[in-house]
Amino acid sequence: MMRAIELPLAGDERQVLDRIDADWIAELAGTLVRAGASNEPGPEHATVQALAAVLTGIGAEVELDEVAPGRPNLVARVGSREWGDGVVFLGHSDVVAPGDGWTGDPFEPRRRGDALVGRGTTDMKGGLAAVVAAMAAVHAEDPRLPMTLVCTVDEEADAIGALHYLATTAPTTYAACVVAEPTDMVTITACRGATNLRVEVTGASAHAGKPDEGASAVLAASDVIDAVEADARRLAAAPHPVLGAATWSIGTIAGGHGTSIVPDRCVLTVDRRTLPHEVPEEILAALLGDARERTRAAARPGSDRIGLAGVVEMVMPGFETDQDSPLVHCVRDAVRTAGRAGDVGVWTAACEGGFMAQHHGAPTVVLGPGDLKNQAHQPDECVSVSELYDAARAYALIAMRSADRRGDTPTTSTRPGAATSPRSNA
């Protein structure tokens, strides 16, 4: 249901918002969901092609950059650089596997009242559709105003798309970064980072009947676990004032060759949720150093033959934006104007916004339609169409109110193709 706008609007803002149509957004989100089932060369290829076609149609300059076969990042820009770089919106084109428990085809979108059902509707093809609708509406009325959409591959796994973007893109002075991940339209001003570590313990094998002739990698792995637990207690005692404590979680342990053989190898994979100032390589070095000291102190048979090594397998940095900053006030006002509460919060989860905050130095928030906790990655995933509509309106207002409007005041566009931009039927 489309609710009345609750806060005052400037004349050009009203014209932009009148162009945004909920059914158009739902149709685009459904197209992106359906593309997820494609047998194209890569898992994101068809989704990105569908997104690129719509963006080109609204007048955007679209660049595709293949990160891996069939896995292209997308960067789409509208507006004039004479007015600065404007807002950058961030999204991702991949989804998790559908899994079991669906009542219909996960990749065949369907309406259920106000809900749009399908894999990725919440995380995050609905958010992408809302961003495109906002860009289309703003650009049709105000063609000089700059906006950018960055859409990466592989966010749900190893963030290879974001890492490729960082390696190939020069820093840009964006006014702000808005990550369109699902937040129930709550403005997320900070989130922890995520680091995946792999720790390998090596020892020496021997017959289990003579364990003193070997060096147990599994027993030495217990020293790594003890070091993790000790540091977890330290972190819990000194939480971040906004984000809370950084945390550890040991995900997997694998080692040994059989019951009657002293294990000469053991591998642990470890999740470490980080705070914005922490350096993953330093975290790993400290963990290995503590574990080595514990192995030496234990003085087990063959302890001098134990080796410890580790690697940082994945890094997704966190970020923090002051809740009293101009950007947060702008975003909250835009959300309220769109008819939502304008609440703020923080995430203990991670997202790719930290990459953008670090690389571009832009103040960053996460704001998007959909229920991350109860809908993302779930069977019969769905998103409210009215929330998609409200998100698009909020995005449009954020882009307009954040722009550095240099040069002459633009006039309403009469360029060819403007009529193809979505317009409200309200």
Side-chain angles (χ1 to χ4, degrees):
M1 178 180 179
M2 300 181 187
R3 293 180 301 286
I5 296 171
E6 298 180 358
L7 295 182
L9 289 171
D12 58 345
E13 291 178 345
R14 187 172 298 280
Q15 291 173 342
V16 167
L17 296 196
D18 283 347
R19 286 183 171 270
I20 297 174
D21 176 35
D23 290 333
W24 189 92
I25 302 169
E27 182 179 351
L28 175 56
T31 297
L32 299 178
V33 168
R34 194 174 290 112
S38 171
N39 291 319
E40 294 285 349
E44 298 99 345
H45 181 268
T47 299
V48 174
Q49 290 294 332
L51 192 61
V54 176
L55 286 161
T56 300
I58 69 169
E61 297 178 2
V62 179
E63 299 175 8
L64 301 184
D65 187 6
E66 195 167 61
V67 178
R71 310 190 74 180
N73 281 347
L74 174 147
V75 177
R77 300 179 182 88
V78 296
S80 170
R81 290 294 174 88
E82 294 178 0
W83 279 11
D85 295 298
V87 172
V88 58
F89 295 98
L90 176 64
H92 61 86
S93 52
D94 59 322
V95 296
V96 298
D100 299 326
W102 289 76
T103 59
D105 184 345
F107 295 105
E108 186 53 46
R110 56 196 183 278
R111 291 286 290 268
R112 192 170 61 199
D114 185 47
L116 178 67
V117 182
R119 173 54 85 220
T121 49
T122 282
D123 189 13
M124 61 167 293
K125 292 178 176 180
L128 285 171
V131 169
V132 174
M135 292 176 70
V138 173
H139 189 60
E141 289 290 333
D142 201 344
R144 293 188 187 179
L145 196 146
M147 295 170 287
T148 299
L149 169 62
V150 175
C151 184
T152 61
V153 300
D154 195 51
E155 188 271 350
E156 299 287 4
D158 298 319
I160 64 171
L163 294 173
H164 180 84
Y165 172 85
L166 298 183
T168 58
T169 305
T172 301
T173 54
Y174 291 113
C177 173
V178 178
V179 186
E181 292 273 17
T183 68
D184 278 325
M185 294 303 293
V186 173
T187 302
I188 301 301
T189 61
C191 67
R192 296 189 304 180
T195 294
N196 291 348
L197 307 176
R198 178 183 177 90
V199 178
E200 182 169 343
V201 187
T202 55
S205 62
H207 193 284
K210 294 184 177 181
D212 290 358
E213 295 181 359
S216 173
V218 168
L219 288 178
S222 69
D223 299 325
V224 178
I225 296 171
D226 288 345
V228 164
E229 290 186 316
D231 195 55
R233 290 190 292 269
R234 178 188 67 83
L235 294 170
H240 187 277
V242 175
L243 290 165
T247 57
W248 289 94
S249 177
I250 297 174
T252 65
I253 302 177
H257 305 285
T259 306
S260 60
I261 305 171
V262 173
D264 62 354
R265 185 173 180 271
C266 188
V267 177
L268 306 88
T269 59
V270 186
D271 178 289
R272 175 63 150 77
R273 298 297 158 137
T274 59
L275 300 176
H277 66 277
E278 292 187 294
V279 179
E281 290 75 14
E282 293 177 359
I283 292 170
L284 175 61
L287 173 65
L288 295 177
D290 188 9
R292 291 186 183 107
E293 289 296 327
R294 292 172 184 274
T295 297
R296 281 193 286 269
R300 303 184 191 95
S303 60
D304 59 331
R305 301 164 71 186
I306 293 294
L308 274 172
V311 63
V312 177
E313 291 193 316
M314 189 278 289
V315 175
M316 193 173 289
F319 72 88
E320 181 182 8
T321 300
D322 186 350
Q323 292 190 356
D324 198 35
S325 67
L327 171 62
V328 174
H329 284 292
C330 171
V331 172
R332 296 185 73 185
D333 285 346
V335 172
R336 291 188 185 112
T337 302
R340 298 281 164 171
D343 295 333
V344 295
V346 300
W347 267 1
T348 57
C351 74
E352 291 184 340
F355 288 124
M356 303 295 280
Q358 280 191 358
H359 189 64
H360 294 297
T364 299
V365 297
V366 190
L367 175 74
D371 183 345
L372 181 71
K373 181 178 179 181
N374 296 309
Q375 289 299 327
H377 303 187
Q378 301 299 314
D380 280 356
E381 177 183 349
C382 66
V383 70
S384 160
V385 174
S386 60
E387 195 170 2
L388 296 179
Y389 173 72
D390 290 343
R393 296 196 298 165
Y395 293 152
L397 291 171
I398 293 165
M400 296 178 75
R401 294 172 180 179
S402 299
D404 177 11
R405 299 194 182 199
R406 288 177 280 189
D408 296 334
T409 301
T411 57
T412 300
S413 172
T414 56
R415 61 175 175 78
T420 65
S421 301
R423 294 192 66 93
S424 174
N425 296 320

